[in-house]
Amino acid sequence: MAEHEDFRLQKLSELAARGEDPYGGRFPGTQPIARLRAIYSDQADGLPVRAAGRITNLRAMGKAAFLDIQDWTDRVQIYIRKDVVGEDRFARYKLLDLADIIGVDGRLGKTRTGELTIFVDDFVILSKALLSPPEKWHGLRDVELRYRQRYVDLFANPDVMRTFVARAGMLRYVRDFMCGRGFLEVETPMMQPIPGGAAARPFVTHHNTLDMDLYMRIAPELYLKRLLVGGMERVFEINRNFRNEGISTRHNPEFTMMEAYQAYGDYTDMMELTESLICGLARETCGGLRLKYGDSDVDLTPPWQRRPYAELLEEHAGVRLGDSDAIRKRALAAEVSMDNPHPDVLANKLFEALVEPELAGPVFVVDYPRSLCPLTKQCPDNADLAQRFELYLAGMECANAYSELNDPVEQEKRFVEQVADDEERERIDRDFLRAMSYGMPPAGGLGIGIDRVVMILTNTPSIRDVILFPLLRQQQAEGES
């Protein structure tokens, strides 16, 4: 209790001495403040209302007081008069502080200055705040503190609340859109005995009863494809993936993906699905297809560009895909990591370093090197390329899709090519290969990074600003060095 302000603790004691419960109870029948504003008209003066919210402003005027309260929809002024609420209630008002949560009953009207106001008949304290809100309600300014204390950030910074309300609306739209296209929403394991579906370092955990290591999933892909084998012809999942890798404005180790699979389709169907879904999201969230992201203008008007990977690599990095010597020299000059000298790997690092920043988009980058896409069908006219696309918006990869490989013999061969030794070979998902051997229909598969799409549609610069509780380094206890 050392960090609690003494004057607030004193008021807490005074409330208890008066027989008041400073932490209230059920307060039914409240209306959202935004709804009160919507229903108000000049003819509505005197309309009985009930509202609840956090105190954001206090202005005492002798025998009367103005307060502002806010809920998660809006803010409204309230007016308390001693001769209306009575001496006992007015004495209780004097024990209120900024950030306390109260419930009010009163009548809706406007003051002489035209401010919408609840003229209070009665009020109740629902929660006494023992800590003061930050910086006299100007919001948390320390970015790290905002993430650590998101609970304060939400009520202190209305724009933050609006971002997360918008995110929830986007997720609801995605579900409705996918279900409207005939997809079935499913859930697949978060803990997996073999990590698969993407190239990434997993988080490892241990199940005590079974005495076995498990991996937090890096992608749901192999389980969703098992459902295709089982006859679920259109499936999708919105859920968390976990990758034990770097943290940046575009990466968080725990993030949200929407992954979908459509039997009898391919990556061209996934392009149409992605374009329609994101355009619909933009209209729903932003009111149109032209929006700002930082200093850039983003125009989502379809049709979106389709640009071959090899063409973009030559245009921006100055090398031809397949020219191993030129790629190696360019990689050395660009100072990209040479830990894996495979020319396609180096070409992709050049792509990430030199091409991606130029992709304002929206643009579908299509037909990647087959060696980078072990789960993807090859292009029928070029066996060195795979039927894969990545969608770029504002320089960020936001979606990834394949024409899914459904040949179990070829899939096993690709898996073997990917592993370096016998120990890694033991971690090939043999059950997935068994499932494919029962017959997996040709399909298009798609993954959309929900967090990044939310960033763009809310004009938010960092992924941490669209994740309620991003991963942070553990805070040292006071006095530790």
Side-chain angles (χ1 to χ4, degrees):
M1 301 290 284
E3 64 179 337
H4 299 155
E5 285 88 345
D6 289 341
F7 76 94
R8 288 178 179 256
L9 290 172
Q10 184 178 346
K11 289 182 178 181
L12 185 71
S13 297
E14 289 182 36
L15 285 167
R18 293 169 57 87
E20 301 282 352
D21 181 358
Y23 295 101
R26 185 168 180 264
F27 194 70
T30 61
Q31 291 182 286
I33 291 172
R35 173 65 180 157
L36 298 183
R37 290 193 176 278
I39 65 175
Y40 181 80
S41 67
D42 290 337
Q43 290 73 38
D45 276 344
L47 179 71
V49 296
R50 168 172 272 208
R54 190 180 297 274
I55 299 172
T56 63
N57 204 351
L58 278 166
R59 305 178 298 284
M61 302 171 62
K63 296 182 180 181
F66 285 101
L67 292 77
D68 293 340
I69 64 169
Q70 78 174 30
D71 63 9
W72 69 335
T73 68
D74 209 338
R75 179 199 63 82
V76 71
Q77 178 174 266
I78 69 173
Y79 181 49
I80 299 176
R81 285 177 50 181
K82 183 176 181 180
D83 62 349
V84 173
V85 301
E87 187 170 338
D88 184 63
R89 286 285 193 268
F90 199 71
R92 182 173 54 182
Y93 145 74
K94 293 182 178 179
L95 298 177
L96 296 177
D97 292 301
L98 289 178
D100 288 355
I101 299 172
I102 63 172
V104 300
D105 289 294
R107 299 184 179 276
L108 203 59
K110 285 189 176 181
T111 61
R112 288 193 297 271
T113 60
E115 177 77 15
L116 185 67
T117 302
I118 299 174
F119 294 86
V120 174
D121 296 324
D122 197 6
F123 71 94
V124 60
I125 299 173
L126 298 174
S127 185
K128 182 69 183 168
L130 300 183
L131 291 174
S132 296
E135 297 186 14
K136 297 182 179 179
W137 218 262
H138 292 150
L140 288 170
R141 300 192 185 280
D142 183 292
V143 174
E144 177 94 356
L145 191 60
R146 285 180 49 223
Y147 300 146
R148 290 192 185 281
Q149 298 183 14
R150 183 69 86 189
Y151 41 86
V152 178
D153 193 28
L154 285 165
F155 71 69
N157 296 319
D159 285 346
V160 173
M161 177 67 78
R162 281 190 284 272
T163 294
F164 286 105
V165 171
R167 179 190 172 108
M170 288 184 229
L171 286 169
R172 184 169 58 250
Y173 181 93
V174 171
R175 284 190 164 91
D176 290 346
F177 178 94
M178 296 300 292
C179 292
R181 289 287 187 104
F183 285 80
L184 181 70
E185 184 171 11
V186 297
E187 295 175 314
T188 59
M190 292 282 198
M191 296 186 297
Q192 303 178 352
I194 300 172
R201 181 184 302 163
F203 287 95
V204 184
T205 187
H206 187 80
H207 192 285
N208 291 333
T209 301
L210 297 178
D211 191 23
M212 63 184 291
D213 285 342
L214 293 168
Y215 302 89
M216 301 301 292
R217 76 169 180 206
I218 55 178
E221 178 169 351
L222 302 189
Y223 284 90
L224 290 170
K225 287 180 178 179
R226 285 170 165 92
L227 299 181
L228 290 179
V229 173
M232 291 185 174
E233 295 180 356
R234 295 191 179 202
V235 293
F236 79 101
E237 180 172 10
I238 301 174
N239 223 320
R240 300 291 192 279
N241 291 346
F242 306 85
R243 298 185 183 177
N244 195 356
E245 296 174 345
I247 295 176
S248 73
T249 57
R250 298 182 180 186
H251 299 89
N252 192 68
E254 176 184 3
F255 60 98
T256 301
M257 289 284 291
M258 191 280 285
E259 210 160 297
Y261 292 84
Q262 177 179 330
Y264 316 118
D266 67 4
Y267 74 148
T268 61
D269 295 289
M270 297 299 100
M271 284 186 217
E272 185 280 324
L273 182 73
T274 303
E275 189 175 282
S276 297
L277 173 56
I278 293 179
C279 284
L281 268 174
R283 292 188 185 98
E284 182 80 7
T285 306
C286 309
L289 298 179
R290 298 175 186 269
L291 50 133
K292 293 284 290 186
Y293 185 68
D295 297 327
S296 303
D297 295 311
V298 179
D299 185 354
L300 297 175
T301 304
W304 296 350
Q305 290 185 78
R306 277 98 165 132
R307 296 288 307 277
Y309 177 97
E311 182 181 288
L312 288 166
L313 185 70
E314 187 169 0
E315 180 179 323
H316 295 285
V319 293
R320 293 175 62 87
L321 194 62
D323 189 340
S324 302
D325 290 340
I327 288 171
R328 184 174 184 80
K329 288 176 184 176
R330 189 70 181 93
L332 287 167
E335 298 182 340
V336 303
S337 169
M338 306 291 287
D339 56 344
N340 185 335
H342 191 289
D344 288 344
V345 173
L346 294 178
N348 200 54
K349 289 179 179 178
L350 285 173
F351 192 93
E352 291 172 351
L354 303 177
V355 182
E356 286 185 9
E358 305 300 321
L359 300 179
V363 57
F364 291 113
V365 178
V366 300
D367 301 342
Y368 279 65
R370 187 188 65 80
S371 64
L372 302 179
C373 313
L375 295 158
T376 313
K377 282 190 172 182
Q378 66 189 40
C379 293
D381 56 348
N382 188 337
D384 292 329
L385 300 179
Q387 292 184 326
R388 170 187 177 184
F389 77 72
E390 289 188 352
L391 169 67
Y392 284 85
L393 295 172
M396 283 191 286
E397 179 215 334
C398 292
N400 186 20
Y402 308 151
S403 295
E404 301 295 340
L405 182 62
N406 63 330
D407 177 344
V409 175
E410 176 64 18
Q411 185 64 82
E412 182 173 16
K413 177 184 172 186
R414 300 265 194 99
F415 279 163
V416 171
E417 287 173 353
Q418 294 290 309
V419 299
D421 52 39
D422 290 340
E423 183 178 344
E424 287 192 7
R425 189 168 297 187
E426 290 300 314
R427 291 170 60 181
I428 290 175
D429 193 336
R430 298 288 173 184
D431 181 71
F432 173 65
L433 293 173
R434 181 187 298 113
M436 288 186 71
S437 297
Y438 280 101
M440 183 180 115
L446 166 69
I448 294 179
I450 295 295
D451 306 308
R452 290 185 180 180
V453 172
V454 174
M455 285 172 64
I456 291 167
L457 295 185
T458 59
N459 194 11
T460 303
S462 172
I463 197 170
R464 292 184 175 193
D465 290 316
V466 298
I467 295 174
L468 278 168
F469 299 102
L471 185 65
L472 300 168
R473 189 183 302 277
Q474 190 171 5
Q475 206 168 21
Q476 288 185 328
E478 217 174 297
E480 289 184 7
S481 58

